[in-house]
Amino acid sequence: MSTPKFFTPNNHLDDNGIALAAEALMLDRSEALPQDIALHLESCDRCSQMVLDTADITAMSPIVKPQHHPFFDARPVIHRFPQFWYSVAALFLLTVSGGGTFYLITHRPMPQAPAVSELPAGVPDASHQIAEGPSPAEVPSTPDRFTPSPNLDDLISSEFRSTTLEIIAPKNGERVSPPITFLWKEQTGTLKLKILTNKEVTILTAIVHKGRYTTAKRFEPGLYYWKLESDDELAAIGTFTIR
Amino acid sequence: MLQGTRSVRIFVSDERSLTTLHRDSLQPPMGHASHMLDIEMLRHDRNQFILECQRTIAIVVKYHTQRGMFSGSEFDDIIQSVNEELIQRLDSIERNFNGSVMLNTYMNVVIRNICLTIFERTRRNPVTEPITEMRTGHDSEAMAPVLLQDEYRRFSHTMRLSAGKRSKMIFCFKVYFRLPVTEQDVQRAFDRLPEDQWRPVLERFGTEYDDTLEADNFNSIASLMNLQEKNTTTGASLLRWTHDNLTRTITMMNGDPPVRSHTKETVKLLLEEVTP
């Protein structure tokens, strides 16, 4: 139920406002008048005259005083119901937002399951960054993030018979900052580029070609591995660090 | 109360038919102390609604006739004019009434406005016949208490419309007229101050103080009023404030157009008689 209006566009009391003020006088409930009406009547002679006349006239009319006035008595009821539901809604929002915030704090944004998609080489695009992440227990603390992965390091130091690619950038262990551009000697065909944490968790997968791929993804500080695969076979592997 | 057995002709309903009502039909049913107008009746049965309004119309017209806006001899003609105008306004009444007040009170406002419109349309001065002459069967002495009661009520209402400054006005008016103030007057006027601060004021103005100077009185009040209001007003400006509010009160009492003759003296008399 909307709040009734008691003023004209000219900021004087309308007939409802005049009648309400007159009833407030007759029922001895002036203190229950809305403040804007009371303040207006303190300064507006014209409206005050109308209220006084109406109260005089009403006093001449044999009208029974209502047990429950439609405004003075109904007002608390009108507001109690919405206030209750506003409180419930506010509590719900607080719970949801508080819980959400707590969840976000305790569950830092983690890479999720890989969703491989096409990306033109050389186009920076964070949308190809994949959400495949470790569980909270797997998230290393900052010093741990720089600990090399023995398995991946072995791959780097090994000689691959199938290696056909030469990495140009970033050089192994190179310190980089976003956007990161990966360069390799151009070869025909489509490759799959993967970026992994030092815990061997894949955090990005992208379909790449033309010897170039740029990502604007923001990485946590740490040591990362990146791989190029052709037909699920390792074609190249390198590392880079983020400070 | 309507007099005699003459008929009142009124236009009723959308068919614009001319209906004649006998005065007896306008009287409330026996045993009913009141009648309540009904918004549903306005929506669904306008003929009946107009009929139900007749007593309200008679009361409002009588009110204005008593105050000299209309002559007692033209009572029926005014009733007729009000009905014609009211029928024209039924749509806007239905549209604008928001249900926050009693429909009877709302109709009092509407019909009062119609009476003022009729009064202004004729562009005439208030009639000067003594108001008691219209009340056949009552002599002026018998009417005096009733009239006084009306004035007391209007004075009380006028003061209560100044809700935020009512206590200050009553106190200052009494000092202005050199009337003894009561403990309640002082307590209400200086409700933010401890008793030991306002008690001397009660001792000074609580009894006769005709021989004091007005300027001294208001200077002493102003210093205490400044404590109450955290203000820095002077006695002279407080006296001016009192005078301005007294003038406004008299204007309110007399009405617009002015149909009463209140002065400072009558306000003083009312202050002596009632605690507004």
Side-chain angles (χ1 to χ4, degrees):
Chain A
M1 182 175 174
S2 60
T3 307
K5 290 182 171 59
F6 297 108
F7 286 87
T8 66
N10 297 328
N11 294 321
H12 284 288
L13 291 181
D14 64 10
D15 290 350
N16 289 289
I18 297 292
L20 187 71
E23 287 184 353
L25 290 177
M26 295 305 299
L27 300 172
D28 201 15
R29 298 186 71 171
S30 304
E31 78 291 342
L33 270 180
Q35 195 176 19
D36 51 354
I37 295 181
L39 286 173
H40 180 75
L41 288 171
E42 282 191 20
S43 58
C44 180
D45 287 5
R46 176 189 153 203
C47 291
S48 295
Q49 294 279 11
M50 293 173 73
V51 170
L52 289 170
D53 285 355
T54 305
D56 283 350
I57 292 165
T58 306
M60 297 168 67
S61 313
I63 293 175
V64 174
K65 292 179 181 178
Q67 286 187 330
H68 296 282
H69 190 273
F71 183 82
F72 299 132
D73 295 323
R75 193 165 42 166
V77 177
I78 289 169
H79 288 284
R80 191 174 297 146
F81 182 76
Q83 276 179 353
F84 170 76
W85 286 110
Y86 288 149
S87 304
V88 170
L91 189 65
F92 176 76
L93 285 174
L94 275 174
T95 306
V96 169
S97 61
T101 306
F102 178 76
Y103 181 83
L104 286 175
I105 290 170
T106 54
H107 299 71
R108 304 289 297 182
M110 295 302 157
Q112 297 298 312
V116 179
S117 58
E118 297 251 359
L119 179 73
V123 179
D125 189 348
S127 67
H128 285 76
Q129 294 152 11
I130 309 306
E132 179 187 70
S135 66
E138 293 170 325
V139 177
S141 61
T142 301
D144 289 346
R145 287 179 184 145
F146 290 90
T147 305
S149 160
N151 293 332
L152 294 173
D153 274 356
D154 282 347
L155 286 175
I156 292 172
S157 58
S158 299
E159 289 184 9
F160 303 109
R161 282 183 300 170
S162 58
T163 297
T164 54
L165 292 178
E166 182 184 344
I167 289 173
I168 299 173
K171 300 293 185 191
N172 265 348
E174 185 180 349
R175 182 177 165 182
V176 295
S177 57
I180 305 168
T181 297
F182 300 90
L183 295 172
W184 60 94
K185 274 200 174 173
E186 185 177 354
Q187 74 147 34
T188 55
T190 300
L191 298 170
K192 188 185 291 182
L193 186 149
K194 288 184 178 179
I195 298 177
L196 304 90
T197 68
N198 62 335
K199 299 296 179 187
E200 302 176 26
V201 175
T202 303
I203 58 171
L204 184 148
T205 302
I207 303 300
V208 296
H209 55 94
K210 293 185 179 177
R212 182 186 183 92
Y213 174 73
T214 302
T215 179
K217 177 181 172 63
R218 295 205 166 272
F219 296 88
E220 296 287 333
L223 172 66
Y224 293 89
Y225 294 80
W226 67 287
K227 297 193 295 188
L228 287 166
E229 292 177 351
S230 174
D231 297 324
D232 291 324
E233 286 193 12
L234 183 65
I237 183 168
T239 63
F240 61 93
T241 57
I242 303 283
R243 294 284 174 184
Chain B
M1 190 65 71
L2 294 169
Q3 307 292 326
T5 56
R6 288 172 51 193
S7 303
V8 179
R9 296 171 297 121
I10 57 171
F11 290 99
V12 178
S13 88
D14 295 336
E15 295 81 38
R16 320 294 298 160
S17 61
L18 188 65
T19 299
T20 300
L21 299 173
H22 291 283
R23 285 182 182 278
D24 290 344
S25 69
L26 302 181
Q27 303 302 318
M30 290 296 289
H32 286 236
S34 66
H35 77 300
M36 298 296 286
L37 295 173
D38 182 3
I39 188 68
E40 290 305 314
M41 188 186 293
L42 170 61
R43 287 173 183 148
H44 303 300
D45 190 351
R46 290 191 168 182
N47 283 358
Q48 189 61 35
F49 183 77
I50 288 290
L51 287 174
E52 292 289 334
C53 281
Q54 293 311 302
R55 181 153 76 169
T56 303
I57 293 171
I59 288 169
V60 179
V61 172
K62 186 174 85 169
Y63 171 83
H64 288 100
T65 305
Q66 286 176 345
R67 278 146 191 83
M69 286 176 65
F70 307 118
S71 163
S73 61
E74 60 184 351
F75 184 89
D76 287 345
D77 291 334
I78 300 298
I79 294 277
Q80 175 69 45
S81 299
V82 169
N83 273 296
E84 290 171 3
E85 186 69 30
L86 182 60
I87 289 167
Q88 301 293 326
R89 297 189 186 192
L90 285 178
D91 285 338
S92 70
I93 292 168
E94 185 181 340
R95 195 170 52 247
N96 295 327
F97 176 68
N98 67 17
S100 59
V101 293
M102 289 180 281
L103 185 55
N104 289 62
T105 314
Y106 186 83
M107 291 308 298
N108 286 344
V109 179
V110 171
I111 296 167
R112 174 201 176 269
N113 292 342
I114 291 173
C115 285
L116 281 183
T117 302
I118 293 168
F119 176 78
E120 287 163 5
R121 197 160 58 208
T122 56
R123 293 176 181 276
R124 54 187 173 180
N125 296 320
V127 296
T128 55
E129 61 187 288
I131 56 177
T132 49
E133 284 184 7
M134 294 176 303
R135 302 176 187 238
T136 55
H138 301 285
D139 58 32
S140 50
E141 273 188 30
M143 287 306 299
V146 177
L147 295 174
L148 268 178
Q149 198 63 42
D150 289 347
E151 298 311 305
Y152 291 155
R153 187 183 57 243
R154 190 171 178 101
F155 179 60
S156 176
H157 285 171
T158 302
M159 300 304 287
R160 280 156 60 186
L161 282 184
S162 307
K165 50 187 181 181
R166 174 179 164 200
S167 302
K168 181 179 176 183
M169 282 168 61
I170 292 168
F171 178 79
C172 289
F173 286 179
K174 286 193 171 181
V175 173
Y176 181 85
F177 291 124
R178 289 187 174 79
L179 293 172
V181 297
T182 64
E183 182 168 338
Q184 186 187 52
D185 294 333
V186 183
Q187 207 167 6
R188 285 180 176 175
F190 302 104
D191 60 345
R192 294 176 194 161
L193 301 181
E195 183 177 348
D196 60 335
Q197 286 191 307
W198 55 255
R199 180 65 63 181
V201 174
L202 180 61
E203 288 165 4
R204 175 168 181 171
F205 299 111
T207 54
E208 297 294 324
Y209 51 102
D210 285 341
D211 53 347
T212 56
L213 291 175
E214 186 176 70
D216 290 345
N217 292 342
F218 275 87
N219 281 335
S220 67
I221 298 171
S223 58
L224 199 61
M225 198 63 78
N226 287 338
L227 290 175
Q228 160 83 7
E229 298 177 341
K230 294 182 171 56
N231 204 347
T232 53
T233 192
T234 64
S237 65
L238 185 59
L239 175 60
R240 195 161 50 247
W241 181 91
T242 304
H243 187 266
D244 290 347
N245 279 283
L246 187 56
T247 304
R248 182 174 188 257
T249 300
I250 293 168
T251 305
M252 292 292 110
M253 292 289 294
N254 285 334
D256 182 26
V259 290
R260 301 173 186 82
S261 304
H262 284 286
T263 62
K264 286 180 184 176
E265 282 307 307
T266 61
V267 171
K268 182 182 178 183
L269 289 171
L270 288 166
L271 263 178
E272 287 177 308
E273 293 298 324
V274 294
T275 302

